[in-house]
Amino acid sequence: MKLFSEHFQKEHPVVKFDVRAKLAVVIALLLMVLSYKGVLFPLFIAAGCFLLCVRMGIPLRVLFLRMAQPLFLAVVVLALKCFFTGEDTLFVFSLPTSHFPLLTLTVHRDGLIEGLKIAGRMLGAVSLVIALGFATPFTEFMAGLSWFRVPKGFIEIMMFAYRYIFMFLEDAHTIYSAQKNRLGYSGMRKGLRSFGTLTGSLVIRGIDQTQKTAEAMTQRGYTGDMPLVKKRPLRFGEFAVAMVFIIFAGAIWMI
Amino acid sequence: MLSVEKLYYRYADGTDALSDINLDVKKGQFIGLLGANGSGKTTLLRTMDGLLKGFEGRVVLDGTDIRKLTPKQIYKKMGLVFQNPDDQLFAPTLFEDVAFGPLNMGFDDNEVKQRVAAALKEVELEGLEKKSVHNLSFGQRKRACIAGLLAMGHEMLLLDEPTAGLDPMGEYRMMKLLQRLNRENGVTIVMATHSVDLVPVFLDELYILSKGRITRGGTPEEVFNAPEDMANIKLRLPHIAELIYRLKHEDKIKFDRIPLTIGEARREILKTFENEKY
Amino acid sequence: MLSVEKLYYRYADGTDALSDINLDVKKGQFIGLLGANGSGKTTLLRTMDGLLKGFEGRVVLDGTDIRKLTPKQIYKKMGLVFQNPDDQLFAPTLFEDVAFGPLNMGFDDNEVKQRVAAALKEVELEGLEKKSVHNLSFGQRKRACIAGLLAMGHEMLLLDEPTAGLDPMGEYRMMKLLQRLNRENGVTIVMATHSVDLVPVFLDELYILSKGRITRGGTPEEVFNAPEDMANIKLRLPHIAELIYRLKHEDKIKFDRIPLTIGEARREILKTFENEKY
Amino acid sequence: MSSQKSKVKSQKHEITFFNSFLLVTLVLVTDAHAMHISEGILPFNWAALWFAAAVPFVAYGLYRLKKLSAVDPSFKPLVGLMAAIVFIISCMPIPVPTAGTCSHPAGTGISAILVGPAISVLVTAVALLIQALFLAHGGLSTWGADIFSMGVMGSFAGFLTFRALRSVKVNMAVAAFIAGVLADWATYMTTSVELASGIRGDSPFLPLFYKILIAFIPTQLPLGILEGAMTSGMVVLLYKRRPDLLVKMGVLKAEEAAL
Ligand SMILES: Nc1ncnc2c1ncn2[C@@H]1O[C@H](COP(=O)(O)OP(=O)(O)OP(=O)(O)O)[C@@H](O)[C@H]1O
Ligand SMILES: Nc1ncnc2c1ncn2[C@@H]1O[C@H](COP(=O)(O)OP(=O)(O)OP(=O)(O)O)[C@@H](O)[C@H]1O
Ligand SMILES: [Mg+2]
Ligand SMILES: [Mg+2]
């Protein structure tokens, strides 16, 4: 199941670092990136995050796949901005032989700059969140959220959701095997019918499973409050490191 | 400790799963439920555990109608091991699953860890703590379910075929473990099972379910004393009993009684040998 | 018919489930796989059925590497009954589930209906056709799975603990049914099982798996001839064998051989009786 | 060059053939991910505004959750399951033949019909957060905006449509279909507003909004219909196989289920 970030993380100090400190750093940096008025700072953050991910042993291919879509969007926004907004024309593409206005494309200077800013912002912000995702196992993350006073109901739903996502993927695979084993998917029409049965069955099973989970859990003392992973005491050292880091970044941000 | 009076249960699709069930489980007993597939064992255990509502009749736990108890009050006293382990396991890893009960009971981290370790040792799953529960083999998952309840230390355990899917040695050990819990810790146990051969060795009392009704009850000896109509209730004699029964009735060798266990059979055979000699 | 050569399988989480498995299943054989929980039986059956890819070594079906066959080619010849019935049943009602295979084989409605009816009769589930599969009892679901494959009429059946969760009579009848399929219709059968007592009565050949390796193979007599190290592989002797073994070694009664079935045991005991008399 | 410059300036915001073609292709190609506004697109003030808009709805969802799960312990797992369904549906790339590209439906129509709009907002919030954190799909800073477009607008549009149609005795399948379509389109309208306002900088809002909206149409039209079909399929499936659930969730009355 290579869908989720945490399956790649290796033993690395950043992974073991207190999740609350990590969250604080990421949120602070995110705010800085978003409110920054230039291009350099976000790019600097993006470069840092990239290096960190590589150091954590995330395969480049995975990293690239994860980045691909935001990166592409950034390019689109850039194009949108520089071709379609702005006053100040930088240059114009047009087919050399014709002065036919429909075939011209204008690049605006102010639009380009605007676009670069947004693209930079996206890159910086995305890298931060991706690095956080790779460096934080899901359960840790939940524990961190609960420390930040995110309502318990929300966290519980998130844990259930996470579990059921995997259940769906597994179930889909299981049912698919079961169908193949009885000659499902042999041919177009049969394939479609098999697929219909599969999705229907997935949903019904999922719903049944919620009932069973609830039974199994109440049976073992669950009364609506999930016991969460123990919170380890805040360590001064880790928070100090985080603070220093935030201040340092803040200083660069000011420049 | 737990008694069931005039219990009827009908599923939403109209299946009458239980009819007129009366049962009285006393503290410290080790009771078995036997019966054909679809005879209602699982349904009975689930109503006894308070999971199925909407039955007719009464289920009384320590003097109080179970419908008047909160889930918390019920599950402090007793727990049920489900028939299908996949219905019971829900946490990501084996450790987390087994720890769920103790955590809910409010123990501190150390106590939880100890309890989990002890429970996993009992079911011989040490070393797999970090494994995802869904990556365990079927028998391992069955064991994991049992560990999840052992870690809570209930007064009463209901088990739905705890040994199904276990390897032969595991089956025997599991029964030994339950026997120890029953004898040494005084845990009251009710289990559904299909293992006729193990029953007489371990159980105090048996109830036979057939089409939602209890048709017989008593000690293993009492229940297995009428081998002729076993087939109606889809049961058979334990292999040992079958052997002696055949020797007695088909080969006309004299036996005073039909033994149910290996130990008894040895004694009977030796006795017959002695008698024949002289 | 199906042979496995130097098979290794490792799960994604690093568990080595199979190591150096060599197995040769000939047409018309009735073969059993035994082994402790987690020893790799399910994994082996799933690779043999072509469901698990990414193994090392070769699985050859009728002379062709299974990796070169399309699903259609494989599943026309053989089918697997899964260990957990909930993994196998997916259609809304029992009828639809059992009919899934025959429909995919392209039979017309009448033929499908006949096949489903026949299969349900074999597993004794007549009358439950319209019931939702998820509302069946565990044993009924297990039977439903088997019916789903019977209705397809394969040349070869792989069964992962087909009798687990069946009532004692059902277990015996299921084995009888498989035996009949094997003898009369020439269906090749490979089954994983924990039922040591049934094995010697029905199976031609046994393989013992232990920690992903085949440690023994042969006829039931060959496999059970070294009772001393059964414990290592979490097995035990059949009850009958255990009784005679104890009589022989502890009570010093003379037996020429250790019988594995009730019939053999009767003969041995009678023989010993005769000898003692004179 | 300079002579051209003035000419270009005059037609700056007109839609030329070439640039509208480019615009359409660009948006179409990336449309796969347009349902979720990506991390960093929105500047700080817009991000904050959408957060402020979404929070009351999420809070109300939590309040409803607490009330409902007090009565039924299996409610929380069920809500979790809905979140997983929304997660999977909104990760699912669907080829859109008219545009020759992929996009994805939202799934909020289904969850709104089944668990109600308030909890559906919560469901969406959870699904979005998991996607943002572990798949870089959507984002943390744009979480508020995404909750608002997908969760709030999608859920309420879907739910209100369904209820309104059901109250005038429209067939269940048809009502669910239209609810799904409208939930999808409402989401996209909102997303377009958010995008346009977020990236417009100093340029005027409306022209950019129209451009984005128009560019979405070729994918969103069929996609909305697909979403409608999915919603309808799911509701009908439950109606056929688990009417008890629909009764429990208040979608059906007990008498209707018996039919
Ligand atoms: N959820 C359900 N809805 C409708 N009918 C059900 C449901 N569960 C079980 N039944 C039916 O009720 C009867 C009793 O089922 P139950 O599961 O109690 O049997 P069991 O004795 O446990 O059988 P097994 O040995 O196979 O586990 C069966 O006929 C079964 O088909
Ligand atoms: N999907 C999986 N991922 C990782 N490990 C697995 C997976 N499935 C099984 N295993 C491991 O592989 C080993 C063999 O499992 P397998 O299911 O083949 O055992 P088995 O012999 O069928 O046991 P049982 O008698 O309990 O059914 C076990 O140690 C098990 O924990
Ligand atoms: Mg049962
Ligand atoms: Mg197995």
Side-chain angles (χ1 to χ4, degrees), chain D residues 132-158:
Chain D
L133 281 173
F134 295 94
L135 296 177
H137 192 34
L140 278 190
S141 67
T142 52
W143 191 33
D146 286 334
I147 293 177
F148 196 83
S149 60
M150 230 175 101
V152 178
M153 293 306 284
S155 300
F156 278 92

Side-chain angles (χ1 to χ4, degrees), chain A residues 100-112:
Chain A
F100 193 46
L102 277 180
L103 290 178
T104 56
L105 192 59
T106 323
V107 178
H108 305 283
R109 217 179 75 85
D110 43 354
L112 181 67

